[in-house]
Amino acid sequence: MSQVSRSCSLCLFVFLALLAAGPLTAADAAEPWEAGAFLAEPAGMLEAATAAAAGMSGAGDEEAVILFTEMRYSYDEQGRLTRVRRLVYRIQGADADAQWSEISEAWSPWYQERPELRARVITPDGAVHELDPATITDSVSSKQPEMYEDGRIRRAPLPAIGPGAVVEIESTRRDTAPFFDRGTVEMTGIRLWVPVRHRRAIVEAPASLPLRHVVRQAPEGGVVREEVDNGRRRLTFEYRDLAPLEDFESGMPTESWLSYVAFSTGDSWSAVAQRYSGIVEEAIRAAETDGALRAFLRAAGVPAQGPITQGPTPRETLDRILARLGSEVRYTGVELGEGSIIPRAPAETLRRKFGDCKDKAVLLTALLRRLDIPAHVALLQAGENTPDVEEALPGMGGFNHAIVVVPGLQGEPDLWVDPTDRYARAGELPVGDQGRFALIADAGTTGLVRTPEATAADNHEVETREILLSDLGRARVVETTELRGAAERDLRASYAAQDAKSLRESLAGYVNTVYMTDKLGKIDHSEPADLSQPFRLRLEAEESQRGVTDIQAASVAVFPGAALGRLPQELRTEPDDKKPRKFDYVVTRPFSAEVRYRVVPPIGFQPQPLPQGRIRQVGPATLSEAYAVADDGAVTATMSFTLDKRRLSAAELEALRKSASAMWSEDGVILRFSHVGEAHLAAGRVREALVELERLAAITPDKALPHLRVARALLAGGMGELARDEAQRAVELEPGSAPAWRDLGWTLVHDPVGRLFGEGFDRAGALAAYRKAKELEPDDIDTRRNIAVLL
């Protein structure tokens, strides 16, 4: 994702700030590091650090403890910022993470001076080891391969790091120009992952400069002071004796754990929007007379000039443009100099055939306006369950993404579009864009707005499992899945990235698990880039043990819990530790799913009484089952699951996990079928059986099995000669069928009036038939047993 902020993401920004900032409380002159940077005498520093660490709760279990941390922010009249970070900590163990062994500071050459770094390490023997300036290096800050930027990190290794060492570092970073001339936003953390003895943040600015602040999740006992002196305003935040942050619970709301102070120098969101709107308009004006946009629109199959009075609807037009944009302009972040916040002209993006989020957003806006479709760029902080922009703090610095909003057209709601998502249609936002504060770059903007959130109905999946029962043996399966919403976009991206071999391997494992067969057949799926239809996947599998047919009956196992397949694993399994949940859980992807079974029985079979339908609560979600017989005799079973709630209490989460875990692992529901003719025969109704079985044989005259069934019925009725004729006909129809030869052998061990081993049974013929069956199916135990009996 490209940037309109000064860090690769707010989460990274917070992490770096947390390592740097400090708690708030009253001054403590008895502690030597309070006197100022690098002023304390080493022996006194070492002694005080050792004593302080010993008195800090939980310090013995930590890799390091922070004794003092201070952040100083100072703005001048032009809005340029000087930031001084100071940190004093003690290494507690030999296995301390590498982050405690270096000093680093991120900076951007286009508006900042190279940072100044100072550090010293006092070892347990009292020796002082100064930072060697010769070891300081500059490196590229981004580690994302698709990002090209001139952001830098100035860093150096610290000398003599080891258990008991006390480290003091200071870094200073100065702006040479304001990052954004209508105000900026900064943030510094309060609580950290290790104990902190004293934490302080000081913000200074001219009294004429707007300065707002918010404090989130402030520990008790903190002090906030505000002073005005000599035309400058100062805010001081202090905290003491901060316990480390507890371990994360998955899905925790950010407000449950993120503790920070944030402040801004912007006058209003209106002023920020107007200024950025001017930047966008300047980029778009360069494209007004450029033929590249007209050529692009013609290639996309839409009129090259508005207004649209006929042809595709605005939404269809958007989708056509997005499809072309996705295939022709790849996402690549080139953030050199002011390019970190200023987009490139649309014609330049088209010529280069790549661009970052703001480049693609401005290009799409220009294309839509050429068609007289109103559109605006919108800035937001994208991320799933991550900190959002502070509504009370206007300024640039909290945004990390740019998208497009199209005001309501033809009575429809506003359309939000993310042109960086190759597989999102108009009106479909990636999960990380949903429910976020957005700043629309328009002169009429007065504040932030929320982007829309998808519902369970928007994230919908239908999986149809057609199970075709064979005349005898295992079933054939045809599974078809259609998706829309977040799962559809994820699957499109996944299938676009996979080759045919790896895709087949992954689906083979799925088929083996779900259908108990290793015979995966044909695979078909939609073209990932074609968004004109929902994404569709179809696969076939042979010899599934989930459905089996024998002479008299057939059965299929269906699984209500299959509808929970899209539920994240952590929500359908109970945690091993059984530790009580403390915080709410945020569901970023509500969804609904249907698994529709259609079981097609072989000819001559009819369903037994079906299970009763039911609706069960799965915590705050629901799972319903419905069973029916279709007009063609097939049995349908529909399992529907819906989780539409976005925030679950600890109790709701526990209930969901407990119920989902049980339903996911429960045994399948068995759907049973019986053969009508065989049922008559088993009940001694030979005449009725023969009528039914001869009817079926006439319907399928080329199949052996119906004749075998007739032979068995004739044999039961004492008509051994006729039974032999039917069995012989079956062998002639399918000479490669082991069951046909086996049944022929069975008729031949009966005499002409149907008595087993009666006078006149054909022993030699029966042996020959059984041996042929054994040749065709060497592992069949019944055949071998019958041969043994005859011998």
Side-chain angles (χ1 to χ4, degrees):
M1 233 178 250
S2 74
Q3 310 289 3
V4 286
S5 69
R6 282 161 289 180
S7 60
C8 62
S9 74
L10 183 55
C11 288
L12 176 60
F13 178 78
V14 171
F15 176 74
L16 293 175
L18 288 173
L19 290 180
L24 111 110
T25 177
D28 188 350
E31 295 180 326
W33 43 80
E34 298 284 348
F38 304 100
L39 296 179
E41 186 268 328
M45 185 98 151
L46 188 66
E47 181 180 358
T50 303
M56 295 174 69
S57 176
D61 299 326
E62 302 292 343
E63 57 188 10
V65 294
I66 294 177
L67 305 168
F68 177 70
T69 172
E70 181 181 75
M71 295 289 293
R72 286 183 173 268
Y73 300 88
S74 180
Y75 291 92
D76 65 12
E77 296 287 347
Q78 287 73 45
R80 294 176 299 195
L81 173 64
T82 296
R83 193 194 79 158
V84 180
R85 173 175 66 108
R86 186 164 169 243
L87 186 64
V88 178
Y89 57 92
R90 183 179 189 273
I91 303 295
Q92 296 289 94
D95 57 349
D97 190 88
Q99 66 178 332
W100 304 105
S101 301
E102 73 168 26
I103 179 173
S104 65
E105 188 71 51
W107 64 292
S108 296
W110 71 274
Y111 77 100
Q112 291 174 332
E113 293 180 356
R114 181 177 282 108
E116 302 167 9
L117 306 182
R118 296 179 63 193
R120 66 173 175 174
V121 178
I122 306 170
T123 53
D125 60 2
V128 178
H129 303 265
E130 301 283 348
L131 176 69
D132 182 357
T135 64
I136 299 176
T137 61
D138 274 314
S139 58
V140 176
S141 60
S142 175
K143 292 181 173 60
Q144 302 178 57
E146 71 275 17
M147 294 294 295
Y148 300 86
E149 57 181 322
D150 57 3
R152 314 293 290 177
I153 290 184
R154 191 160 175 79
R155 57 198 291 259
L158 297 173
I161 291 293
V166 177
V167 182
E168 182 176 14
I169 65 174
E170 183 183 69
S171 61
T172 304
R173 188 178 66 194
R174 295 181 177 86
D175 290 354
T176 57
F179 172 70
F180 187 73
D181 59 10
R182 292 298 187 275
T184 59
V185 177
E186 295 286 341
M187 158 181 282
T188 183
I190 300 175
R191 295 183 63 197
L192 305 178
W193 298 107
V194 297
V196 178
R197 184 170 178 81
H198 185 186
R199 190 168 182 76
R200 178 190 297 146
I202 299 173
V203 185
E204 293 183 351
S208 58
L209 193 69
L211 184 60
R212 297 176 174 84
H213 75 276
V214 295
V215 181
R216 300 296 181 197
Q217 292 292 315
E220 293 183 5
V223 177
V224 179
R225 295 191 299 274
E226 181 172 355
E227 306 163 279
V228 177
D229 185 33
N230 292 326
R232 290 186 66 80
R233 182 181 176 196
R234 171 183 288 191
L235 297 172
T236 302
F237 308 85
E238 286 197 81
Y239 301 87
R240 281 191 183 276
D241 300 321
L242 299 173
L245 287 168
E246 298 179 4
D247 291 339
F248 267 124
E249 291 181 335
S250 61
M252 281 176 60
T254 55
E255 70 270 15
S256 297
W257 65 270
L258 191 57
S259 174
Y260 62 86
V261 174
F263 50 92
S264 75
T265 59
D267 183 61
S268 66
W269 284 118
S270 175
V272 176
Q274 284 188 356
R275 179 69 180 98
Y276 201 75
S277 174
I279 292 172
V280 171
E281 298 303 324
E282 184 177 351
I284 290 178
R285 274 194 296 272
E288 290 180 351
T289 59
D290 196 291
L293 268 63
R294 290 193 295 272
F296 179 93
L297 291 169
R298 284 194 298 270
V302 296
Q305 189 68 39
I308 298 177
T309 57
Q310 58 184 359
T313 65
R315 187 186 289 267
E316 291 170 339
T317 297
L318 259 169
D319 283 335
R320 291 185 186 184
I321 293 173
L322 285 172
R324 184 76 183 178
L325 195 60
S327 62
E328 188 166 320
V329 181
R330 74 180 188 275
Y331 171 79
T332 302
V334 181
E335 301 185 354
L336 304 176
E338 293 183 339
S340 61
I341 61 172
I342 297 178
R344 288 156 188 82
E348 182 180 352
T349 302
L350 283 177
R351 184 171 59 255
R352 291 182 172 181
K353 296 190 181 299
F354 65 73
D356 60 23
C357 64
K358 59 187 176 297
D359 300 333
K360 297 188 77 169
V362 168
L363 171 57
L364 177 59
T365 299
L367 290 167
L368 294 175
R369 290 185 184 179
R370 181 168 287 279
L371 299 173
D372 288 346
I373 297 177
H376 303 287
V377 173
L379 305 178
L380 68 153
Q381 172 68 252
E384 289 190 47
N385 195 24
T386 58
D388 203 352
V389 174
E390 286 285 354
E391 188 176 17
L393 302 180
M396 194 71 74
F399 303 116
N400 70 350
H401 195 40
I403 58 176
V404 174
V405 59
V406 178
L409 298 167
Q410 300 179 354
E412 294 188 1
D414 293 352
L415 281 178
W416 293 81
V417 186
D418 189 336
T420 66
D421 190 331
R422 178 71 181 85
Y423 303 107
R425 302 175 185 86
E428 296 178 346
L429 286 180
V431 176
D433 294 358
Q434 296 178 18
R436 313 294 286 184
F437 276 125
L439 180 70
I440 299 175
D442 178 58
T445 292
T446 57
L448 302 177
V449 297
R450 286 281 187 190
T451 58
E453 292 181 314
T455 65
D458 296 321
N459 296 325
H460 188 60
E461 174 181 351
V462 176
E463 183 176 289
T464 302
R465 299 178 172 183
E466 188 172 32
I467 300 179
L468 307 167
L469 290 166
S470 65
D471 291 332
L472 195 64
R474 298 175 181 177
R476 177 172 174 263
V477 175
V478 178
E479 180 186 287
T480 305
T481 304
E482 287 192 0
L483 310 96
R484 64 172 180 263
E488 178 190 14
R489 294 191 292 274
D490 291 345
L491 206 60
R492 286 181 184 275
S494 174
Y495 278 39
Q498 287 192 76
D499 58 45
K501 181 181 178 181
S502 61
L503 174 60
R504 189 169 188 85
E505 288 174 351
S506 65
L507 290 177
Y510 166 79
V511 165
N512 188 274
T513 300
V514 175
Y515 297 115
M516 297 179 66
T517 178
D518 57 2
K519 297 188 181 301
L520 174 62
K522 187 177 180 182
I523 301 171
D524 289 315
H525 63 79
S526 306
E527 168 59 42
D530 180 9
L531 305 184
S532 61
Q533 299 292 331
F535 188 80
R536 182 174 179 272
L537 169 66
R538 183 180 186 276
L539 58 84
E540 301 176 9
E542 304 290 339
E543 298 189 21
S544 168
Q545 296 184 59
R546 295 299 188 194
V548 178
T549 307
D550 61 25
I551 288 294
Q552 295 181 323
S555 60
V556 171
V558 300
F559 295 86
L564 279 63
R566 289 285 168 189
L567 196 64
Q569 185 173 1
E570 68 174 356
L571 296 185
R572 53 179 160 85
T573 56
E574 295 187 81
D576 295 333
D577 58 10
K578 302 295 183 182
K579 187 178 179 181
R581 177 90 182 186
K582 292 184 178 181
F583 299 99
D584 288 354
Y585 184 96
V586 175
V587 179
T588 59
R589 300 179 180 218
F591 75 98
S592 57
E594 289 183 47
V595 177
R596 301 173 180 172
Y597 286 92
R598 174 178 163 79
V599 182
V600 181
I603 187 170
F605 283 79
Q606 66 179 10
Q608 294 296 292
L610 298 177
Q612 291 293 318
R614 55 181 172 171
I615 298 176
R616 291 183 283 176
Q617 286 300 126
V618 191
T622 57
L623 174 64
S624 66
E625 304 167 48
Y627 302 90
V629 179
D631 292 340
D632 61 358
V635 170
T636 62
T638 303
M639 322 300 182
S640 300
F641 179 80
T642 301
L643 176 61
D644 205 7
K645 197 167 184 181
R646 280 189 165 266
R647 185 158 176 153
L648 310 180
S649 68
E652 288 174 324
L653 178 62
E654 181 181 359
L656 173 63
R657 282 174 165 169
K658 185 175 181 179
S659 299
S661 177
M663 293 177 187
W664 181 253
S665 58
E666 69 185 3
D667 294 336
V669 174
I670 306 300
L671 305 179
R672 302 184 188 278
F673 302 81
S674 63
H675 194 282
V676 176
E678 293 288 347
H680 284 310
L681 190 59
R685 297 187 294 270
V686 176
R687 181 186 298 276
E688 290 85 348
L690 278 171
V691 170
E692 171 66 13
L693 296 175
E694 288 176 346
R695 181 185 72 82
L696 298 178
I699 293 174
T700 55
D702 296 333
K703 287 187 175 182
L705 183 58
H707 293 285
L708 295 176
R709 293 184 187 278
V710 171
R712 292 176 65 253
L714 289 169
L715 201 60
M719 295 171 276
E721 289 286 357
L722 293 176
R724 293 180 183 184
D725 292 342
E726 286 294 323
Q728 186 62 47
R729 188 177 307 167
V731 166
E732 292 169 357
L733 287 171
E734 295 183 28
S737 168
W741 285 102
R742 187 167 53 245
D743 276 23
L744 175 60
W746 179 246
T747 61
L748 293 175
V749 298
H750 292 76
D751 68 11
V753 293
R755 293 173 300 188
L756 181 64
F757 301 131
E759 185 178 350
F761 86 91
D762 187 352
R763 181 177 181 278
L767 274 173
Y770 281 138
R771 283 169 174 159
K772 182 63 176 179
K774 175 186 170 184
E775 177 186 327
L776 293 170
E777 285 187 5
D779 297 332
D780 184 69
I781 295 175
D782 288 340
T783 300
R784 289 176 177 271
R785 182 185 299 114
N786 289 333
I787 292 173
V789 169
L790 286 174
L791 291 176

